[in-house]
Amino acid sequence: MSETTDRIASIERDALAALAAAEDDAAIEAWRTRVLGRSGELTGVLRGIGGLDADERKVVGAEANRVKGILEAALDERREALRRAALASTEADALDVTLPGRPLRRGRLHPITQVRRRILDVFERLGFQVIEGPEVELDAYNFGALRIPEHHPARDMWDTFWFDEEVQGPDGNERAPLLLRTHTSPMQVRFMQEHEPPIRVAVPGKCYRYEATDATHEWMLEQVELLAIDEGISMANLKGTLQEWARQMFGPSRKVMLRNSYFPFVEPGVEVAVDCFQCPGDDPSCPVCRGSGWLELMGAGMVHPEIIAAQGYDPERYTGFAAGMGVERVAMVLLGVSDIRDFHANDPRFLAQF
Ligand code: YSA
């Protein structure tokens, strides 16, 4: 090794160490000028090559150019590393960890679900067991077993969505018409067929009616059906149960009215209404009561003895009451909503209120 190649090796060693210690653009530029610049250390060696003898010139020339290549590559690499580090620290500065977090929008239960659960909570406390039944129902249960035969005018009370298909009915009949249940009352019969008294059940579920909508009517509604069958059940039990339910739901100041009504599957039948929450009770333009002062919540009555007998129970021994209430109507009263259509319009601004 010649003195010059020693010098090149020492330039390479010192320069690489100095480059690694250069922490900013100014230090790098100073390094470049000192090592590779026009009067730089390595440039000086390259310039001196001409004064060497031919053999040494060849060796020193090759070595100096190899080291020059290494130092230039190291310079590029160091510049890139510093650029990346600067970028990362800018991004870190852009993230202000002291800013308050974005609030998470919390999900919630649909108001109808909330109200259905409240209704059922009260009935469960009053001793009713919650059961469910099919939304796609046979004509035989929705109407026939409830003393509403084909062509009976009472069918007009429930405008119905029918299926095109007919299926095998409970009596083996191959052509049993199928529908979307118009009320939860068919579950009275289904449950009685499979159980013995005493019976106390509450049946929540969706129902469907082929009818025009307005502020108190939807084509899809939820009902909760009640059925109590036992020895000695009277109209007083029906009234007491519904009044206690209404007191627990709405508080003691809400007025509850029972008035005569007709349903083929009860005798006698009643309709249960509460006083209007929207107007003083005499405003004909009120969307809730239309000036009547009352909003109907349910139909109810004493289960018709023929229906009790048809399930094989002794109607002399067993009596019962039943009721079917509209969950959306109850929700209107509880939440002060004057248009039932708001519940299923899916406007998050409306839903977020509850
Ligand atoms: C009657 C006697 C019983 O022993 C048992 C149940 C019944 C109720 C009967 N099955 C029935 O469906 N009667 S109803 O047609 O008057 O509806 C009952 C309740 O459902 C109504 O009082 C009302 O609160 C709600 N409802 C009815 N049609 C509705 C509706 N809610 C919203 N939109 C509709 N289109």
Side-chain angles (χ1 to χ4, degrees), residues 146 157-158 182-186 188 207 209 211-214 216-227 261-263 265-266 268-272 296-303 321-330 340:
L146 294 170
M157 291 165 81
W158 296 278
T182 59
H183 52 174
T184 40
S185 298
Q188 291 186 27
C207 307
R209 297 190 183 187
E211 62 181 57
T213 64
D214 61 24
T216 55
H217 293 85
E218 262 287 16
W219 61 268
M220 181 185 79
L221 60 137
E222 285 203 27
Q223 288 190 338
V224 170
E225 189 84 9
L226 278 194
L227 177 67
S261 188
Y262 169 72
F263 300 96
F265 36 99
V266 286
V270 291
E271 186 178 290
V272 182
E296 183 199 311
L297 295 188
M298 67 185 101
M302 296 302 293
V303 180
F321 70 75
M325 70 181 62
V327 177
E328 286 83 358
R329 297 267 181 101
V330 175
I340 199 170

Side-chain angles (χ1 to χ4, degrees), residues 22-337:
E23 287 297 345
D24 55 30
D25 285 350
I28 285 193
E29 185 52 22
W31 177 93
R32 191 194 65 75
T33 311
R34 180 169 58 77
V35 181
L36 299 171
R38 205 179 293 181
S39 320
E41 293 163 2
L42 192 63
T43 319
V45 173
L46 284 161
R47 282 224 183 94
I49 287 176
L52 301 174
D53 63 47
D55 286 347
E56 199 180 0
R57 193 186 312 149
K58 216 168 157 189
V59 175
V60 171
E63 184 58 11
N65 278 317
R66 185 188 68 79
V67 169
K68 189 178 178 208
I70 286 172
L71 293 180
E72 282 173 347
L75 173 64
D76 287 348
E77 212 172 278
R78 184 70 187 140
R79 274 190 179 133
E80 180 58 19
L82 286 182
R83 192 189 63 78
R84 271 206 225 105
L87 194 66
S89 88
T90 317
E91 277 168 6
D93 288 347
L95 179 71
D96 183 350
V97 290
T98 63
L99 282 176
R102 290 198 191 108
L104 280 182
R105 287 167 59 128
R106 288 182 62 192
R108 64 191 72 212
L109 293 175
H110 191 279
I112 295 302
T113 304
Q114 296 180 31
V115 170
R116 184 203 319 117
R117 289 187 179 182
R118 276 181 70 174
I119 293 172
L120 294 173
D121 276 353
V122 177
F123 284 131
E124 280 184 305
R125 282 200 297 274
L126 292 173
F128 288 81
Q129 173 198 351
V130 177
I131 57 148
E132 291 184 39
E135 284 176 33
V136 175
E137 187 53 284
L138 290 162
D139 170 295
Y141 282 105
N142 197 82
F143 293 126
L146 294 170
R147 303 182 69 250
I148 317 170
E150 222 178 324
H151 308 305
H152 190 286
R155 286 207 178 196
D156 295 346
M157 291 165 81
W158 296 278
D159 291 315
T160 308
F161 288 108
W162 296 95
F163 284 88
D164 290 338
E165 301 83 13
E166 298 193 323
V167 293
Q168 188 167 27
D171 52 1
N173 173 5
E174 288 290 343
R175 298 181 52 75
L178 207 56
L179 47 77
L180 286 177
R181 71 175 168 199
T182 59
H183 52 174
T184 40
S185 298
M187 273 310 288
Q188 291 186 27
V189 178
R190 284 187 178 276
F191 194 82
M192 280 192 268
Q193 281 179 346
E194 308 226 319
H195 299 83
E196 291 295 319
I199 289 172
R200 274 168 190 68
V201 286
V203 193
K206 289 195 176 69
C207 307
Y208 304 84
R209 297 190 183 187
Y210 185 51
E211 62 181 57
T213 64
D214 61 24
T216 55
H217 293 85
E218 262 287 16
W219 61 268
M220 181 185 79
L221 60 137
E222 285 203 27
Q223 288 190 338
V224 170
E225 189 84 9
L226 278 194
L227 177 67
I229 309 274
D230 206 341
E231 291 180 40
I233 288 201
S234 73
M235 194 73 184
N237 298 115
L238 167 63
K239 200 174 161 195
T241 304
L242 294 181
Q243 272 179 339
E244 178 54 20
W245 171 80
R247 194 188 64 76
Q248 292 197 31
M249 287 300 285
F250 306 124
S253 53
R254 180 108 273 141
K255 289 188 196 134
V256 181
M257 172 176 67
L258 272 73
R259 64 183 162 204
N260 286 345
S261 188
Y262 169 72
F263 300 96
F265 36 99
V266 286
E267 184 53 45
V270 291
E271 186 178 290
V272 182
V274 292
D275 58 320
C276 185
F277 60 88
Q278 179 72 11
C279 79
D282 52 5
D283 176 1
S285 66
C286 173
V288 175
C289 75
R290 296 193 186 83
S292 73
W294 299 97
L295 176 64
E296 183 199 311
L297 295 188
M298 67 185 101
M302 296 302 293
V303 180
H304 199 289
E306 281 181 21
I307 291 184
I308 295 205
Q311 314 321 321
Y313 309 159
D314 177 0
E316 296 296 324
R317 184 173 170 203
Y318 292 110
T319 50
F321 70 75
M325 70 181 62
V327 177
E328 286 83 358
R329 297 267 181 101
V330 175
M332 288 173 76
V333 180
L334 269 182
L335 308 175
V337 172

